[in-house]
Amino acid sequence: MQSLGTAQAAPGEMDTGRLVVGEARDGSDVGLPVAVINGASSGTTLYLQAVSDGDELNGLGVLTRLLPQLDPAEIAGTITVVAIANVYGFQVAEHRNPIDDTKLNRAYPGDPDGSSSERIAHATFQAATDADLVVDLHQGSTSQMIDETRVRCGRHHRQHDACLELAQVFDAGHVLDQKGPEGQLARAAPDAGIPTIDPELGGTVGWDESSIEVGVRGVRRVLEYYGFLPGDAAPKDQNRATGFDRYGSPVGGLVHLQQELGAPVQPGDPLFTVTDPLGTEKARVHAENSGIFWRARRLPQAATGEYVCSVGTGIER
């Protein structure tokens, strides 16, 4: 029998339930939706998580499409799932947990006696570290972004090669191989010995069908490569950025992007212009280094110094 929260599944079975992480303001239980798929034969365990940030829904789109396709009778090993980690943020379509105004993916490994986000992080971290592999599904909620997979443990970490291999198997098309901030699941779980990746599946408000399909394909590739399902998936070399150049607006006004997402850029290439509301150009910003146009703000209006775009740098394959 395999279990997560109230979900319990015998070999060859799947079950759904809730993982209680506290109580709401009315005293009722707050539970994260969870699933356990216990394969008919033994094997390793994969932990899948989505909606760590309450407005990042493409990962949830992946799970709603993928899970009904999986037959426990065909699976070797166990798949555990937390479909909505930041349930408070999800309910109000906000990035952060509104109960403690905290970004959940900065709270790992969590604290069982801490704030709301720390308690959620603790509960989901226990599920993650009971697994052999972790895929934490994200997207660019406030930006438009290429499909990418992030390796956040740092290039000198003992789990780096295993995390990079997992990212290359997932094959979102691009990899950001850069040590992440303290408190990210994709940084904390490798410290506990668990290879972990953080796929960033595009960036939009609501569903992004093309990025969801990238995620569905990516998780299935992971299931094939690591022996959960039969198949011939293998790691794929991808454009791998080891750094980011971030660009802000030098003036206030309206941003006009000059590059498409995923486009290669060279030093001196125009990245964006800024005009006043009547179309008069006020500033033009150029790339400082070569790389790939990786991410950009969604809304055109920007104040002085406000973030506009990022170029992935130090490109390797």
Side-chain angles (χ1 to χ4, degrees):
M1 188 76 69
Q2 299 288 341
S3 64
L4 177 58
T6 63
Q8 295 185 328
E13 294 181 352
M14 174 181 177
D15 192 26
T16 60
R18 294 276 169 170
L19 175 63
V20 175
V21 292
E23 294 183 352
R25 289 166 175 161
D26 65 358
S28 60
D29 285 345
V30 173
L32 313 182
V34 300
V36 176
I37 303 172
N38 190 355
S41 55
S42 61
T44 55
T45 298
L46 170 67
Y47 173 71
L48 297 171
Q49 177 173 292
V51 199
S52 173
D53 300 303
D55 57 353
E56 297 188 3
L57 303 183
N58 282 344
L60 182 59
V62 171
L63 298 178
T64 61
R65 288 157 174 74
L66 177 69
L67 296 185
Q69 300 174 10
L70 300 179
D71 182 354
E74 299 175 352
I75 291 173
T78 303
I79 304 166
T80 56
V81 180
V82 171
I84 303 172
N86 181 3
V87 66
Y88 292 107
F90 172 80
Q91 289 169 346
V92 293
E94 292 183 4
H95 192 73
R96 300 165 74 89
N97 179 348
I99 301 300
D100 56 10
D101 191 30
T102 296
K103 183 176 172 67
L104 176 58
N105 202 32
R106 297 295 184 272
Y108 286 95
D111 181 345
D113 301 313
S115 69
S116 172
S117 293
E118 289 172 333
R119 291 170 187 252
I120 295 172
H122 172 77
T124 54
F125 191 71
Q126 299 309 302
T129 52
D130 283 342
D132 301 293
L133 303 162
V134 173
V135 176
D136 182 21
L137 298 165
H138 286 262
Q139 75 183 71
S141 62
T142 59
S143 303
Q144 49 183 321
M145 186 188 301
I146 60 176
D147 295 313
E148 51 151 317
T149 305
R150 298 190 169 187
V151 175
R152 299 307 249 164
C153 61
R155 301 184 76 184
H156 301 292
H157 196 282
R158 65 186 183 279
Q159 289 292 331
H160 174 265
D161 290 350
C163 292
L164 180 58
E165 182 179 28
L166 181 54
Q168 291 172 326
V169 170
F170 191 92
D171 186 27
H174 297 80
V175 174
L176 175 64
D177 187 359
Q178 184 186 52
K179 190 173 185 179
E182 291 279 357
Q184 286 190 325
L185 178 57
R187 181 168 170 184
D191 288 346
I194 315 300
T196 302
I197 57 172
D198 173 352
E200 294 275 357
L201 300 173
T204 188
V205 176
W207 300 129
D208 179 340
E209 295 295 337
S210 64
S211 292
I212 289 171
E213 286 304 313
V214 169
V216 171
R217 185 196 67 186
V219 175
R220 290 197 69 95
R221 285 177 52 79
V222 168
L223 294 175
E224 291 180 12
Y225 182 74
Y226 291 95
F228 296 87
L229 289 172
D232 57 1
K236 287 190 176 181
D237 288 337
Q238 297 153 70
N239 286 322
R240 177 161 58 110
T242 58
F244 255 164
D245 284 346
R246 293 170 57 89
Y247 295 86
S249 180
V251 295
L254 301 175
V255 171
H256 304 266
L257 299 175
Q258 303 297 306
Q259 301 289 338
E260 298 289 335
L261 290 176
V265 297
Q266 299 298 323
D269 284 351
L271 298 178
F272 62 91
T273 60
V274 185
T275 70
D276 69 14
L278 300 176
T280 300
E281 184 173 310
K282 299 176 66 178
R284 182 176 292 263
V285 174
H286 299 82
E288 297 176 359
N289 299 293
S290 60
I292 292 173
F293 196 72
W294 203 273
R295 180 174 184 168
R297 69 182 288 108
R298 182 182 299 116
L299 297 174
Q301 62 267 42
T304 301
E306 193 167 6
Y307 172 80
V308 173
C309 66
S310 298
V311 173
T313 61
I315 303 299
E316 302 177 2
R317 285 189 69 86

